Each structure stands twice: as structure tokens, then as C-alpha cells.
């Protein structure tokens, strides 16, 4: 059993490294375009003005504070989306393992790590990778809450689901 656990960790690490490499490759090869410029404009607004936006503000607030922390280069701006896209990979693994078995988790993580849309949205300064990451986390918490019926899981499920709604309609 110990050897299998060690092998599983190495396999997950390999998949995560692959996912990271595919997402960071040429992250700033082209300059920001149309919708990404809109994200930048919203994020550069004062944080208090983002609350009154017509679009859910979570991503733009996150980007606002992210840029204050790391800067506003094309690479830095897109890296926030990369993080959420990359975090989706282990979450998908966990969901596959939770619903089926570890082999399904590995396959789901591998497919997510090389999925062209996941890579594309992981390299775009928009909310899509954040909403997918939060959506997968929400489903995981729902499954766990339904199985275990523990109060803290229902609270976490509610919080993560609400955050995903504040990220995208």
C-alpha cells in the first residue's frame, strides 16, 4: 500500500508539472486583446467602484489586488488565470476519485491538464478559469456534504458556490 501511495503522489506531481508547463508556455507571447483589456480596465478601477459594476466583480477585485501585489505586465495579469486553471487539475483528480476511483481521477486530471480549452482559458485574463475552478470545488463539496451531512461541509459548499456566482453569471 505504501508503494502505491508513493507512486500516486509521483504521478499527480508529473500531471501537475505538465499542466503548469503547458499553461506557462508562451503566456505573454501576444499582448492583451479586446476582452482582456476590459478586464484590465475593470481591475484598474478603485476597488470600491467595482462593487457597483454590472458584471460579477470577484475576478476583477482579485485581479485588482493581484496587480497591486505582482505588477501589471501581460505575464503577471494572465498568471492569475493560470493559477486557477492549474488548481483545477488536482480538484478534478479529487472529484474523479471521490465519485469513482483513483484511476478515474488520474485520467480526469490528465485530460484536464492537456485540454486545449483549459490551457487557453488558463492563459487569458478573464474569469473563466476562476469560475471553472470554483465550480469544481463546489461540486466536490456538494458530494462530500451529501455523503457526510456535516455542517461545516454545507457551509463551505455555500461559500464556494456563492463565490463562483460572484465570478460569472
Amino acid at each position: 500500500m505504501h508503494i502505491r501511495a508513493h507512486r500516486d503522489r509521483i504521478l499527480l506531481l508529473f500531471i501537475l508539472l505538465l499542466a503548469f508547463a503547458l499553461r506557462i508556455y508562451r503566456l505573454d507571447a501576444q499582448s492583451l486583446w479586446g476582452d482582456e483589456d476590459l478586464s484590465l480596465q475593470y481591475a484598474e478601477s478603485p476597488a470600491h467602484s467595482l462593487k457597483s459594476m454590472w458584471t460579477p466583480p470577484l475576478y476583477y477585485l482579485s485581479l485588482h489586488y493581484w496587480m497591486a501585489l505582482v505588477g501589471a505586465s501581460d505575464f503577471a495579469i494572465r498568471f492569475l488565470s493560470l493559477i486557477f486553471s492549474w488548481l483545477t487539475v488536482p480538484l478534478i483528480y479529487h472529484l474523479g476519485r471521490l465519485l469513482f476511483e483513483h484511476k478515474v481521477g488520474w485520467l480526469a486530471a490528465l485530460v484536464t491538464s492537456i485540454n486545449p480549452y483549459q490551457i487557453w482559458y488558463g492563459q487569458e485574463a478573464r474569469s473563466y478559469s476562476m469560475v471553472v475552478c470554483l465550480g469544481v470545488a463546489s461540486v466536490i463539496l456538494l458530494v462530500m456534504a451529501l455523503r457526510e451531512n456535516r455542517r461545516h461541509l454545507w457551509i463551505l459548499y455555500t461559500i464556494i458556490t456563492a463565490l463562483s456566482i460572484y465570478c460569472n453569471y
Side-chain angles (χ1 to χ4, degrees), residues 137-155:
S138 174
V139 172
I140 289 169
L141 288 165
L142 176 61
V143 170
M144 291 172 65
L146 287 170
R147 287 182 180 173
E148 299 175 29
N149 200 24
R150 301 189 69 175
R151 184 178 191 174
H152 75 280
L153 291 172
W154 285 110
I155 291 169

Side-chain angles (χ1 to χ4, degrees), residues 23 27 33 35-36 59 77-86 115-132:
R23 283 154 180 75
L27 184 63
W33 65 278
D35 285 352
E36 290 180 306
Y59 175 76
I77 291 168
R78 288 184 177 137
F79 200 84
L80 181 62
S81 294
L82 181 148
I83 291 169
F84 285 105
S85 177
W86 182 75
N115 182 294
Y117 289 107
Q118 283 296 317
I119 296 167
W120 179 354
Y121 290 131
Q123 294 184 329
E124 188 171 67
R126 299 294 287 161
S127 66
Y128 308 122
S129 65
M130 180 186 260
V131 77
V132 169

Side-chain angles (χ1 to χ4, degrees), residues 25-85:
Y25 176 70
R26 298 178 47 91
L27 184 63
D28 60 351
Q30 61 184 19
S31 59
L32 298 179
W33 65 278
D35 285 352
E36 290 180 306
D37 285 330
L38 189 61
S39 294
L40 182 59
Q41 288 175 15
Y42 286 150
E44 287 177 332
S45 301
H48 62 79
S49 70
L50 292 174
K51 295 176 190 172
S52 62
M53 288 176 41
W54 55 269
T55 187
L58 180 62
Y59 175 76
Y60 305 111
L61 279 169
S62 300
L63 187 57
H64 175 86
Y65 291 109
W66 175 256
M67 289 180 354
L69 184 66
V70 301
S73 69
D74 291 356
F75 185 90
I77 291 168
R78 288 184 177 137
F79 200 84
L80 181 62
S81 294
L82 181 148
I83 291 169
F84 285 105
S85 177

